Structures are given as C-alpha cells and as structure tokens.
C-alpha cells in the first residue's frame, strides 16, 4: 500500500540556518504530495503542495519539488526563523488508493534564537 | 469565522464515561474526517464521510461512533472511555477526497 517516510526528529537549528526535512513515498499511481505544518496547540494547516512530477510547491519561504525518479518531496527553507518551530508532516493522496490521504510520522523542528 | 470548528477544546473525564465531540465546517466541503493524534504526534485517520455517507472506517473500536446529520457536521461519540483513548482528536474537511484537508484546532481528551 501507499506510504510516506520522513526523517525522524527532532531537528534543532539556529536562526537563519538552512533547513531540509527529507520525505520519500511509495505509491502505486501518481499521487499528489503535500506538506502540512502544525504549530503548538493548533491543528495542521497546508504549507505547500505539488500535483505532478517536477512541480515545485512554495509558500512562506519553504519549497519542495516533486521528484518522481527518486520518489521524494523534500522540504527546504534557506533561512529559518524561531517562528518556524513546529511539527511538519509530509503527505500523499493517490487516486489508486481511493484518494485517502496518507500522512508521514511528522518531524518536529526547534529553531533557537 | 472559523472554517472547521470543534467543541469542546479540552475534555477531562473518567474511565467508563461516554462523551461526544462536535464538529462543524462552513467551507461547503463534501468530505469530513476524524483523525486521532497520539502523544508522539502520529496522526491516524479514524473515519471519513462524503455527503453524509461513511467512506472510510479504519480499524477503530466500535466504542467510537461517528454521526453526520448533514454534510456540514460530523460528530464523534465515544462510549466506555478507556485510558488509551487519551489523545488529541482532529476534525477536518476537504472538497472531495484527496484534496487539501482543512483541520480544526483539535479536542484534547484526557481519560483519568
């Protein structure tokens, strides 16, 4: 079945450091890929998405590129801020999976001032 | 206006009690969900409804019963609460399955 694997956290960075959170997926079809972010005490919210190969999703300085050849959708940001401290979830939705959204286990990010 | 709202936000209750969590969305979406998030932040889908019809029912004890009176509401009733039911429960909605999911703020359930 479909699955999403993302790097274990927590990830701790200093402010203005470069961020990469790895995400790889397994799917039988051609899924849409998402990154969601959960700030403390809140629900998840969409950060960015990509619906086909080579698409790049971007929002709030975060980027991720849909790489079909490596089945990856790594999240990057050039310069993190303290306010980026949150839990980040990679997810996929696949037509052949009945469009059920599959979430990764989440990666907690701490950014120190 | 909150897009997906759920109540109560916090709930502390004793083992064996029955409790309900209510959810409403004002986005006009046709699909609604209940997710459970454990203390390690792992997110697990419990149920999904499309136009009031149950379409996903994961392996969840039958003590959990969802009810969708209309497509804007999806409530969760839990019978005979157990310690292991302590978690954060998120209601969510989307326009059709597979599209962006909009989450509520969560209901923090503690069973003592």
């Amino acid at each position: 079945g479909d699955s999403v694997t993302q790097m274990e956290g927590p990830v701790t960075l200093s402010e203005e450091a470069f961020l990469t959170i790895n995400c790889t997926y397994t799917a039988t079809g051609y899924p849409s890929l998402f990154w969601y972010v959960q700030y403390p005490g809140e629900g998840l919210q969409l950060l960015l998405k990509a619906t086909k190969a080579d698409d790049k999703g971007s929002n709030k300085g975060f980027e991720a590129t849909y790489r079909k050849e490596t089945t990856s959708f790594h999240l990057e940001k050039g310069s993190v801020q303290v306010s980026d401290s949150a839990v980040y979830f990679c997810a996929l939705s696949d037509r052949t999976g009945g469009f059920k959204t599959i979430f990764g286990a989440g990666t907690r990010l701490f950014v120190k001032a | 206006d909150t897009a997906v709202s759920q109540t109560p936000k916090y709930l502390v209750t004793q083992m064996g009690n029955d409790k309900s969590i209510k959810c409403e969305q004002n986005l006009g979406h046709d699909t609604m969900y209940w997710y459970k998030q454990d203390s390690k932040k792992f997110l697990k889908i419990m149920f999904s409804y499309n136009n009031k019809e149950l379409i996903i029912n994961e392996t969840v004890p039958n003590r959990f019963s969802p009810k969708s009176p209309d497509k804007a509401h999806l409530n969760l009733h839990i019978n005979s609460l157990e310690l292991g039911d302590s978690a954060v429960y998120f209601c969510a909605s989307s326009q059709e399955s597979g599209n962006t999911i909009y989450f509520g703020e969560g209901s923090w359930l503690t069973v003592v």
Side-chain angles (χ1 to χ4, degrees):
Chain A
D2 294 353
S3 66
V4 175
T5 303
Q6 58 183 108
M7 63 189 285
E8 280 192 36
V11 173
T12 303
L13 297 172
S14 296
E15 213 166 18
E16 299 183 4
F18 184 86
L19 168 72
T20 300
I21 300 178
N22 290 337
C23 171
T24 56
Y25 67 90
T26 303
T28 49
Y30 300 94
S32 295
L33 301 174
F34 305 82
W35 277 101
Y36 286 83
V37 58
Q38 184 180 24
Y39 298 105
E42 298 183 11
L44 283 73
Q45 55 185 276
L46 180 71
L47 181 59
L48 53 85
K49 70 177 184 181
T51 56
K52 60 183 190 297
D54 300 325
D55 268 2
K56 178 186 282 188
S58 61
N59 186 25
K60 298 181 183 179
F62 291 89
E63 292 183 342
T65 301
Y66 190 141
R67 301 281 187 207
K68 186 167 175 291
E69 63 277 11
T70 55
T71 62
S72 65
F73 193 55
H74 305 320
L75 182 68
E76 297 181 336
K77 186 175 186 183
S79 175
V80 293
Q81 306 300 312
V82 172
S83 58
D84 293 326
S85 297
V87 182
Y88 293 81
F89 293 87
C90 186
L92 72 80
S93 170
D94 184 7
R95 177 190 298 270
T96 57
F99 282 123
K100 187 166 74 172
T101 300
I102 307 294
F103 286 88
T107 302
R108 188 184 293 270
L109 170 66
F110 291 106
V111 181
K112 304 178 297 187
Chain B
D1 258 358
T2 304
V4 181
S5 58
Q6 52 185 112
T7 56
K9 187 171 175 67
Y10 299 101
L11 184 54
V12 180
T13 188
Q14 292 190 326
M15 274 195 308
N17 282 351
D18 303 338
K19 291 294 176 186
S20 292
I21 306 172
K22 295 186 176 182
C23 178
E24 175 182 7
Q25 55 95 2
N26 63 8
L27 297 167
H29 290 163
D30 58 7
T31 303
M32 294 187 72
Y33 312 83
W34 277 108
Y35 285 87
K36 180 181 180 180
Q37 186 174 49
D38 64 22
S39 58
K40 295 185 178 178
K41 298 297 184 182
F42 185 75
L43 199 64
K44 177 184 173 184
I45 189 166
M46 301 173 69
F47 302 103
S48 173
Y49 272 72
N50 181 270
N51 282 316
K52 303 195 299 173
E53 182 182 340
L54 181 66
I55 56 171
I56 293 176
N57 183 356
E58 294 293 295
T59 307
V60 175
N62 57 16
R63 298 182 294 105
F64 290 78
S65 53
K67 282 192 172 49
S68 182
D70 56 60
K71 73 175 198 177
H73 295 83
L74 180 61
N75 303 323
L76 182 66
H77 188 74
I78 315 170
N79 289 329
S80 304
L81 278 155
E82 299 176 358
L83 293 177
D85 297 332
S86 296
V88 184
Y89 292 85
F90 286 101
C91 180
S93 72
S94 68
Q95 185 55 35
E96 299 181 350
S97 299
N99 288 335
T100 299
I101 298 177
Y102 294 79
F103 286 82
E105 291 195 340
S107 294
W108 299 68
L109 173 65
T110 302
V111 182
V112 297

